[in-house]
Amino acid sequence: MTDPAPSAAPAPFSGPGIPGLMMDWPLLTSTITAFMEENFGDQKIVSVVDDLGTFTYTYAECAARVKKLANALKAAGVKPGDRVATIAFNTHRHFEIYHAVSGMGAVCHTLNPRLSAEHIDYIINHAEDVIVFADPACMPLTQNGMERWKSVRQIIELAAPYEEFIADHPAEFAWPTLDENAACALCYTSGTTGNPKGALYSHRSTVLHAICAAGANAFGLRATDVALSVVPMFHVNGWGLPYTGPICGAKLVLPGRVLDGPAITKLVQDEGVTLSVGVPTVWQAVLDHLTSSGEKVPTLKSVFIGGSAVPPSMIDRFEAEHGVDIVHAWGMTELSPIGTVCKLDATAEAQDREGRIATKSKQGRAIYGIELRTVDDAGERIPHGSEEGGELQARGPWVISAYFRADTPDSFDNGWFRTGDVAIYDNRAHMQITDRIKDVIKSGGEWISSIDIENTLMGHPEVRMAACVAKPDPKWRERPVAIVAAANPDAPPSAESLQAYLAERLPKWQCPDEILFRADLPIGPTGKILKRQIRDELYGDAA
Amino acid sequence: MTDPAPSAAPAPFSGPGIPGLMMDWPLLTSTITAFMEENFGDQKIVSVVDDLGTFTYTYAECAARVKKLANALKAAGVKPGDRVATIAFNTHRHFEIYHAVSGMGAVCHTLNPRLSAEHIDYIINHAEDVIVFADPACMPLTQNGMERWKSVRQIIELAAPYEEFIADHPAEFAWPTLDENAACALCYTSGTTGNPKGALYSHRSTVLHAICAAGANAFGLRATDVALSVVPMFHVNGWGLPYTGPICGAKLVLPGRVLDGPAITKLVQDEGVTLSVGVPTVWQAVLDHLTSSGEKVPTLKSVFIGGSAVPPSMIDRFEAEHGVDIVHAWGMTELSPIGTVCKLDATAEAQDREGRIATKSKQGRAIYGIELRTVDDAGERIPHGSEEGGELQARGPWVISAYFRADTPDSFDNGWFRTGDVAIYDNRAHMQITDRIKDVIKSGGEWISSIDIENTLMGHPEVRMAACVAKPDPKWRERPVAIVAAANPDAPPSAESLQAYLAERLPKWQCPDEILFRADLPIGPTGKILKRQIRDELYGDAA
């Protein structure tokens, strides 16, 4: 094994109190790379890649290539702190870049291939990346890159050119002992307004996030599990699975570019996947595919879903029809990303089915390491169990303290990060997101949760997608309007039938004034419905 | 909630590389206290106490009393860095002391009530404790304490006097923001030779240990679990359960003073215990009780056993007769304590029953955070899969860098802590302890594992306890001798029948030359058989 760790020197100390006498062993991502090689060398990584098909190798073989890559990057002049960009899907090569770039002290900067060319240009120039790795399917995005991106010295395709890049380098690399607060990864938020902003993760934040996400109240991964990372590795560290997986010795399945219902179902079946993660739209597609094809996924035990609220109907159907435990999670780019996970405790498990689904429809409890609070308009903390919603704020070792090269004091409130979400808490510490602050509908002085209306509509069998936005209203200030994509576009339900369905389930004043139909709703680069765009199209920018 | 955590300031940084931009949120035990109060306020702690019987309260009620105690300690003049001693069993009051003393910045110093008065005097005077908390049953050990212990200002009985001590203090306390490398706990090893030596844990080491022990390859605790801490809280932080339990939101059962088979069985049944931890002798007694009484423990799923090697026969019987997964673990006072846990991975699970029991009889893999190696006499690392045993060495964030107020350079080898254990590794990173270095039997130039012989004897139905020690031998230098306590002392097996049993299972040259019988074997203060004492009695100190 190479040597990321220190001597038996005690950790540095400044009072009060007396110094503990424990070893100074910094939390570096290279300790995870070394751990997987040392302890789970024969565990498998399965990767779906354009040039190789389904490719399988072991953690030990992976670690050897990670070290070859680290040597290649060093030879290419990459220095500690340099940003190395990826525009790539979930493959073993992307996994190798995560480990090699961070392990050597550089910063792994993941870009979303679904961003516009303008955003990609802005982000690469803002981050001053020195090398760009891109999947074959993403190479068009790099056209004229050397002219568009002044800091970039090399663009390497993740296929034969990547193999050539690492080929002649040795499979041994002495991981440097870094400050654990050094940056190791960078991810820009895809904000719908303003320029993208970068979250610059440290080794410490990344390792702590990976350890805490491994806990049984979160992923609860172990060495008998097969974990399929449907959530893209270009999206907030792939929810930490590229580090949590190796810590737990789990078999990792990296599905590549194609994430439709049939492809995911086949991977789950072929590889015996036990656990997965992803956004609701992807898993809705899997559920629809299972229903239409009659296929089963007997090995699959749990799917962690975040990014947007999961409709209760989806939780219910996955459990009832497939025995899959859908676990709601909530996080953000600025939180590395995991904030809460809704694994039920004994009291919640003891509820009847309806009660359990209701609890599981919430985003759940903070995992250890994350502190959360909701505050009212006056900035006062709202106690748990209050009916009152408020802005959700977060603090902890994997929460950003600032954006990269941006001064945004409004993002923080007296040491807390302002999430931009509105949430309510029940009296058992379960958090529920009711809206993004910018999506809140204020009607007659009361807040109406757009997510409540959407979730209720999603429970209707004839509805495939639903969004709810605020329409300007002279009397009430704003009123809700729902936009629906029907399950069968040729025979959509009537607006009246949906109104009746809502009226049975929501207070009358919260029901939308209108229901509009669309063939499809616009989806953003991270899989979320672009409600802002819908509202702007309907009611103009001034809405 | 009170406020252990910081502002949105970034963490401090020294290059190389660039600083990450994540919050500076130190890993303090008070963050665990605050987490349990905030997120699992209605979860239960059950405590068996001499003056109250079986006492139950919630994490929120506990946290309120922890803060009262912190205020009381502050009023009594306890300052950051001061050592506060406990001589106590596992109760809610002991749990409160853990959290209050460390949270306020002082050091919780646990003493083993089974130590000799001389050792207790030495340890308290060496540590310079300022306050001693003692269980009613331990009060005799404190007689004339104020004269014997010059640093001690107050001795408080953990009954009515403790209640009076905290009664008038407020249930709010602002946990100070400490350096995470500050000491929070102290535990002395009960070495059989020389003076006891203290391991001085830091907040960082304690929190990292608790998080990593929560992982599914280790305890895998979650909020549906009921955890019974049979391992004493005076013994290496109770294996971290007083912190891991709250992080996981598990119901905690603290069994007090009586840890015999019937008492533990009743607690498991009454409280629906799902998971427990302890040393082999205690769980052997539970198994014997279950067999003789015919009782069942249907809720109990797994028991983590460490401290000494678990005989394969015990693993086998617990699984076959009670459906309980016995998970072998290995640790030391100097490792906080957890080093390895033998949760099976998919490959090991796929073995036949015999293969599974063989793997489970090993001490298992390092959990993330611990690095281990075995070295030969020349100090060279022995590769995994070698047949060769060697000294086991450890490093990591919860391994000591020195003993408290003692200079022992021989305890370390170039940055690694020397465990004093001899171990071998299979080619899948499973570690197996074959001996303590001081117990190794060197016969004709070959090492014989005393633990192998003991485990084999323990598989014989007529053997209750077994120890194997080295007898000086003029020809071979040393030869093994076994000392056995029979299951039925009135009708012990013959030495010949045990010799024949061993001869079928071990190489001939490893079989003991003699088998001696005793009514009982001497047990040390942490539940281990005192092999050194047996050998000294048989062959003198010079052996």
Side-chain angles (χ1 to χ4, degrees):
Chain A
M1 193 180 63
T2 49
D3 221 346
S7 70
F13 176 72
S14 62
I18 60 170
L21 290 170
M22 308 306 280
M23 287 187 187
D24 182 18
W25 194 92
L27 302 174
L28 303 176
T29 62
S30 57
T31 64
I32 300 176
T33 316
F35 179 81
M36 78 179 188
E37 179 181 18
E38 171 103 356
N39 291 283
F40 292 102
D42 63 3
Q43 183 57 284
K44 298 282 196 299
I45 298 176
V46 178
S47 166
V48 181
V49 208
D50 283 342
D51 60 330
L52 300 172
T54 300
F55 171 80
T56 301
Y57 68 168
T58 66
Y59 276 164
E61 290 164 339
C62 172
R65 282 168 55 92
V66 167
K67 288 184 276 189
K68 286 168 80 78
L69 174 57
N71 281 311
L73 289 165
K74 198 170 180 182
V78 173
K79 299 201 166 33
D82 282 353
R83 274 76 66 203
V84 173
T86 63
I87 312 178
F89 299 97
N90 293 13
T91 70
H92 66 293
R93 294 185 183 117
H94 203 174
F95 182 94
E96 289 163 10
I97 296 168
Y98 262 60
H99 283 258
V101 170
S102 62
M104 72 183 293
V107 179
C108 179
H109 173 204
T110 54
L111 279 104
N112 188 334
R114 302 203 188 94
L115 290 174
S116 65
E118 290 71 26
H119 271 161
I120 287 181
D121 287 351
Y122 174 84
I123 291 172
I124 290 181
N125 284 321
H126 186 267
E128 295 187 288
D129 298 315
V130 297
I131 289 184
V132 176
F133 288 102
D135 265 350
C138 304
M139 285 303 286
L141 295 168
T142 68
Q143 212 173 10
N144 304 321
M146 305 295 283
E147 290 97 69
R148 286 153 60 201
W149 310 324
K150 56 185 184 304
S151 56
V152 172
R153 299 194 300 257
Q154 209 169 346
I155 296 170
I156 299 167
E157 186 181 0
L158 290 170
Y162 174 85
E163 297 300 326
E164 283 157 31
F165 183 67
I166 69 171
D168 295 333
H169 292 278
E172 282 307 323
F173 188 90
W175 299 117
T177 299
L178 306 163
D179 184 322
E180 69 181 26
N181 290 315
C184 74
L186 174 62
C187 184
Y188 281 71
T189 59
S190 49
T192 46
T193 54
N195 282 321
K197 296 193 290 290
L200 187 65
Y201 310 107
S202 68
H203 283 266
R204 176 185 167 98
S205 72
T206 303
V207 171
L208 286 174
H209 178 269
I211 304 170
C212 291
N217 281 334
F219 292 142
L221 260 189
R222 54 175 290 213
T224 49
D225 276 307
V226 181
L228 169 66
S229 179
V230 175
V231 72
M233 287 167 67
F234 59 72
H235 185 210
V236 215
N237 306 313
W239 295 8
L241 270 186
Y243 294 114
T244 301
I247 282 176
C248 300
K251 175 175 160 183
L252 263 187
V253 183
L254 303 171
R257 192 165 46 82
V258 183
L259 302 178
D260 58 25
I264 292 174
T265 301
K266 183 166 185 332
L267 265 181
V268 170
Q269 293 168 340
D270 289 351
E271 302 300 335
V273 169
T274 60
L275 180 149
S276 192
V277 297
V279 294
T281 40
V282 168
W283 287 96
Q284 184 66 51
V286 174
L287 186 58
D288 292 344
H289 172 73
L290 292 174
T291 302
S292 65
S293 68
E295 292 187 63
K296 294 290 172 195
V297 282
T299 58
L300 190 62
K301 299 284 170 269
S302 46
V303 177
F304 292 75
I305 302 190
S308 305
V310 186
S313 54
M314 185 167 153
I315 297 173
D316 197 27
R317 283 186 56 202
F318 255 117
E319 184 173 314
E321 297 166 22
H322 300 283
V324 173
D325 187 25
I326 298 291
V327 183
H328 221 158
W330 168 86
M332 303 184 78
T333 302
E334 292 86 344
L335 269 75
S336 303
I338 300 176
T340 69
V341 179
C342 198
K343 276 264 185 98
L344 300 190
D345 66 9
T347 304
E349 281 285 10
Q351 297 173 100
D352 62 14
R353 178 170 184 81
E354 198 177 343
R356 289 177 57 254
I357 299 291
T359 303
K360 292 180 74 162
S361 301
K362 303 180 183 188
Q363 275 72 16
R365 286 197 176 87
I367 63 172
Y368 170 76
I370 288 293
E371 294 180 84
L372 294 174
R373 67 177 187 184
T374 49
V375 298
D376 62 20
D377 288 343
E380 290 297 310
R381 179 166 191 178
I382 302 169
H384 287 183
S386 161
E387 296 288 307
E388 191 186 352
E391 185 187 32
L392 185 65
Q393 303 186 337
R395 157 173 108 155
W398 59 84
V399 179
I400 63 163
S401 62
Y403 289 102
F404 185 47
R405 298 177 167 175
D407 186 27
T408 61
D410 288 352
S411 304
F412 300 91
D413 174 6
N414 197 23
W416 293 76
F417 172 71
R418 300 175 61 188
T419 68
D421 279 332
V422 179
I424 53 170
Y425 265 93
D426 67 21
N427 60 8
R428 304 198 64 248
H430 298 108
M431 184 272 285
Q432 182 164 26
I433 302 284
T434 58
D435 251 315
R436 290 290 294 168
I437 285 179
K438 62 183 172 45
D439 293 332
V440 157
I441 302 164
K442 292 196 190 87
S443 180
E446 300 276 357
W447 284 8
I448 295 176
S449 165
S450 64
I451 295 176
D452 264 4
I453 296 171
E454 291 158 7
N455 277 345
T456 308
L457 281 167
M458 287 297 287
H460 192 285
E462 293 175 88
V463 172
R464 186 167 58 86
M465 297 170 87
C468 182
V469 303
K471 174 183 183 173
D473 185 280
K475 178 168 177 195
W476 302 106
R477 181 173 154 187
E478 294 178 342
R479 288 294 302 157
V481 168
I483 301 91
V484 164
N488 180 355
D490 299 330
S494 70
E496 292 70 32
S497 70
L498 294 182
Q499 291 282 22
Y501 182 84
L502 291 171
E504 282 173 29
R505 288 164 176 84
L506 293 173
K508 189 169 186 317
W509 62 274
Q510 291 184 9
C511 290
D513 284 8
E514 292 173 67
I515 296 184
L516 311 175
F517 291 87
R518 295 272 180 94
D520 239 323
L521 302 187
I523 300 285
T526 59
K528 298 179 192 180
I529 296 174
L530 295 173
K531 289 158 69 166
R532 176 72 169 240
Q533 181 182 319
I534 296 172
R535 191 172 64 153
D536 288 352
E537 285 168 17
L538 286 169
Y539 308 114
D541 278 359
Chain B
M1 193 183 60
T2 50
D3 222 342
S7 70
F13 176 73
S14 63
I18 60 170
L21 290 170
M22 308 305 281
M23 288 187 185
D24 183 18
W25 195 90
L27 302 173
L28 303 176
T29 63
S30 57
T31 64
I32 300 176
T33 316
F35 179 81
M36 77 180 188
E37 179 180 19
E38 171 103 356
N39 291 283
F40 292 102
D42 63 3
Q43 183 57 284
K44 298 282 196 300
I45 297 176
V46 178
S47 166
V48 181
V49 209
D50 283 343
D51 60 329
L52 301 172
T54 300
F55 171 80
T56 301
Y57 68 168
T58 66
Y59 276 162
E61 290 164 339
C62 172
R65 282 169 54 92
V66 167
K67 289 184 274 188
K68 287 168 79 80
L69 174 56
N71 281 310
L73 289 165
K74 197 170 182 182
V78 173
K79 298 199 164 36
D82 282 354
R83 274 76 64 203
V84 174
T86 64
I87 313 179
F89 299 97
N90 293 13
T91 70
H92 66 294
R93 294 185 183 117
H94 203 174
F95 181 94
E96 289 163 10
I97 295 168
Y98 262 59
H99 283 258
V101 170
S102 62
M104 71 184 295
V107 179
C108 179
H109 174 203
T110 54
L111 279 104
N112 187 333
R114 302 203 187 95
L115 290 174
S116 66
E118 290 71 25
H119 271 162
I120 288 181
D121 286 352
Y122 172 84
I123 291 172
I124 291 181
N125 284 321
H126 186 266
E128 296 188 287
D129 298 316
V130 298
I131 289 183
V132 175
F133 289 102
D135 265 351
C138 304
M139 285 304 285
L141 295 168
T142 69
Q143 212 174 10
N144 304 320
M146 305 296 282
E147 290 97 69
R148 288 154 58 200
W149 309 324
K150 55 186 186 302
S151 56
V152 172
R153 298 195 300 258
Q154 209 168 346
I155 297 170
I156 299 166
E157 186 181 1
L158 290 170
Y162 173 86
E163 298 300 326
E164 284 158 29
F165 183 68
I166 69 171
D168 295 333
H169 293 278
E172 283 307 322
F173 188 90
W175 298 117
T177 299
L178 305 164
D179 184 322
E180 69 181 25
N181 291 313
C184 74
L186 175 63
C187 183
Y188 281 70
T189 58
S190 49
T192 46
T193 54
N195 281 321
K197 295 193 291 291
L200 188 65
Y201 310 107
S202 67
H203 284 265
R204 174 183 167 99
S205 72
T206 302
V207 171
L208 285 175
H209 178 269
I211 304 170
C212 291
N217 281 333
F219 292 143
L221 261 188
R222 52 176 290 209
T224 48
D225 276 307
V226 181
L228 169 65
S229 179
V230 174
V231 72
M233 288 167 66
F234 58 72
H235 185 209
V236 214
N237 306 314
W239 295 9
L241 271 185
Y243 294 114
T244 301
I247 281 176
C248 300
K251 176 174 160 184
L252 263 187
V253 183
L254 302 171
R257 192 164 47 79
V258 183
L259 302 178
D260 58 25
I264 292 174
T265 301
K266 186 168 184 328
L267 264 181
V268 169
Q269 293 168 340
D270 288 353
E271 302 299 337
V273 169
T274 60
L275 179 149
S276 190
V277 297
V279 293
T281 40
V282 168
W283 287 97
Q284 184 66 51
V286 174
L287 186 58
D288 292 345
H289 172 72
L290 293 174
T291 303
S292 65
S293 69
E295 291 186 64
K296 295 288 171 196
V297 282
T299 58
L300 189 62
K301 298 285 170 269
S302 47
V303 177
F304 292 76
I305 302 191
S308 305
V310 186
S313 53
M314 186 168 154
I315 297 174
D316 196 28
R317 282 185 57 201
F318 255 116
E319 184 173 314
E321 296 166 23
H322 300 284
V324 173
D325 186 26
I326 298 291
V327 183
H328 222 159
W330 169 85
M332 303 184 78
T333 302
E334 292 86 344
L335 269 76
S336 302
I338 299 176
T340 69
V341 179
C342 198
K343 278 264 185 96
L344 300 190
D345 65 9
T347 304
E349 281 285 8
Q351 298 173 100
D352 62 15
R353 180 171 182 78
E354 198 177 342
R356 289 178 56 255
I357 299 292
T359 303
K360 293 179 74 162
S361 300
K362 303 179 183 190
Q363 274 72 18
R365 286 197 176 85
I367 63 173
Y368 171 76
I370 289 292
E371 294 180 85
L372 294 174
R373 67 176 186 184
T374 50
V375 297
D376 61 21
D377 289 343
E380 290 298 310
R381 178 165 193 180
I382 302 169
H384 287 183
S386 161
E387 295 288 307
E388 191 186 351
E391 185 187 32
L392 184 66
Q393 302 187 337
R395 130 181 128 160
W398 57 84
V399 179
I400 64 163
S401 61
Y403 289 102
F404 185 46
R405 297 176 169 175
D407 185 26
T408 62
D410 289 351
S411 304
F412 300 91
D413 174 6
N414 196 24
W416 294 76
F417 172 70
R418 300 176 59 190
T419 67
D421 279 331
V422 180
I424 54 172
Y425 265 93
D426 66 20
N427 59 8
R428 304 198 63 249
H430 298 107
M431 186 272 286
Q432 182 165 26
I433 302 284
T434 58
D435 251 314
R436 290 290 293 167
I437 284 180
K438 63 183 170 47
D439 292 334
V440 156
I441 302 165
K442 291 194 189 91
S443 181
E446 300 276 359
W447 284 8
I448 295 175
S449 163
S450 64
I451 294 175
D452 264 3
I453 297 172
E454 291 158 5
N455 277 346
T456 308
L457 281 167
M458 288 296 288
H460 192 285
E462 293 175 86
V463 172
R464 186 167 58 87
M465 296 170 87
C468 182
V469 304
K471 175 184 183 173
D473 184 281
K475 179 169 175 193
W476 302 106
R477 181 174 153 184
E478 293 179 343
R479 287 294 301 156
V481 168
I483 301 90
V484 164
N488 179 355
D490 300 329
S494 69
E496 292 70 31
S497 70
L498 294 183
Q499 290 283 21
Y501 183 84
L502 290 172
E504 282 173 30
R505 290 165 174 83
L506 293 174
K508 190 169 186 315
W509 62 275
Q510 291 185 9
C511 289
D513 284 8
E514 291 173 68
I515 296 183
L516 311 174
F517 291 87
R518 296 272 180 91
D520 240 323
L521 301 188
I523 300 284
T526 59
K528 298 179 192 179
I529 296 175
L530 296 173
K531 288 159 69 167
R532 178 72 168 238
Q533 180 181 318
I534 296 173
R535 190 171 66 152
D536 289 352
E537 286 169 17
L538 286 170
Y539 308 114
D541 278 0

